[in-house]
Amino acid sequence: SAVISQKPSRDICQRGTSLTIQCQVDSQVTMMFWYRQQPGQSLTLIATANQGSEATYESGFVIDKFPISRPNLTFSTLTVSNMSPEDSSIYLCSVDRNTEAFFGQGTRLTVV
Amino acid sequence: DAKTTQPTSMDCAEGRAANLPCNHSTISGNEYVYWYRQIHSQGPQYIIHGLKNNETNEMASLIITEDRKSSTLILPHATLRDTAVYYCIVRVDNYGQNFVFGPGTRLSVLP
């Protein structure tokens, strides 16, 4: 298994501000994934983050809105920029190990 | 888009077997069937996966039809703690492939 620590677990933010979510993994992984789960919905992939290269974003997600850092093989951050109430969601990071996906507990973001 | 279809919701009596169906009629030969579940306010949790043979572990059994176009996840003795959303996902068994989540099945285990 993989142990993934996400911080913060939840936050309430003012519109127009930015929040950076951290994801720490207990061992080195090449790829990390960031997902969004809007209220009552399933998970949607935002981007894939490789160490040493720019993240690859899915359709509908852009780097200016969701910049991602991947400074080493155990850590990544996702920033939600210039937030609006529509960004209120759970954000989850995930890693692959032995072809299974392991997920953090998520960051529950409320934008007011 | 997700390549699977599942019922939106199901109920199961506590102590009984929960049988969750999944259709994946367009599955490719190199794609596996994965099952995850998400208990409220938690990240998804891996349950089981398989290619074409039936699989069993400490959590559940996975029954895949011979033509691989559908499968069933079986929780043999459902408890209240099994109440969750269950996701059936097909994916190539290669490292680094993301999972595409559909809406899943909301299983309610009733006392």
Side-chain angles (χ1 to χ4, degrees), chain B residues 3-79:
Chain B
K3 296 178 65 174
T4 63
T5 56
Q6 301 175 248
T8 302
S9 63
M10 294 181 63
D11 291 340
C12 177
E14 187 179 18
R16 303 296 294 270
N19 297 277
L20 291 88
C22 179
N23 287 319
H24 31 79
S25 58
T26 62
I27 191 170
S28 300
N30 62 346
E31 288 182 316
Y32 284 65
V33 181
Y34 284 79
W35 283 84
Y36 279 77
R37 73 179 182 184
Q38 188 175 26
I39 297 171
H40 182 64
S41 296
Q42 297 183 21
Q45 174 192 23
Y46 168 82
I47 301 173
I48 199 167
H49 77 289
L51 182 63
K52 54 182 178 182
N53 297 323
N54 298 336
E55 302 287 344
T56 295
N57 63 20
E58 65 277 6
M59 289 183 66
S61 295
L62 173 61
I63 308 298
I64 304 173
T65 58
E66 191 170 345
D67 64 6
R68 301 211 321 124
K69 293 185 177 182
S70 65
S71 60
T72 301
L73 178 74
I74 301 173
L75 308 178
H77 305 287
T79 71

Side-chain angles (χ1 to χ4, degrees), chain A residues 29-31 33 35 37 41-43 45 48 58 90 92 96-106 108, chain B residues 34 36 38 40-46 49 87 91 93-104 106:
Chain A
V29 292
T30 304
M31 303 178 79
F33 304 92
Y35 289 84
Q37 187 171 28
Q41 303 296 312
S42 186
L43 283 74
L45 182 68
T48 302
E58 298 298 304
I90 299 173
L92 301 107
D96 235 20
R97 182 164 297 164
N98 297 328
T99 73
E100 294 175 25
F102 295 91
F103 291 82
Q105 288 303 296
R108 183 179 294 273
Chain B
Y34 284 79
Y36 279 77
Q38 188 175 26
H40 182 64
S41 296
Q42 297 183 21
Q45 174 192 23
Y46 168 82
H49 77 289
Y87 299 101
R91 196 195 79 154
D93 195 21
N94 284 337
Y95 175 78
Q97 296 290 317
N98 64 286
F99 286 80
V100 179
F101 287 80
R106 183 172 299 276

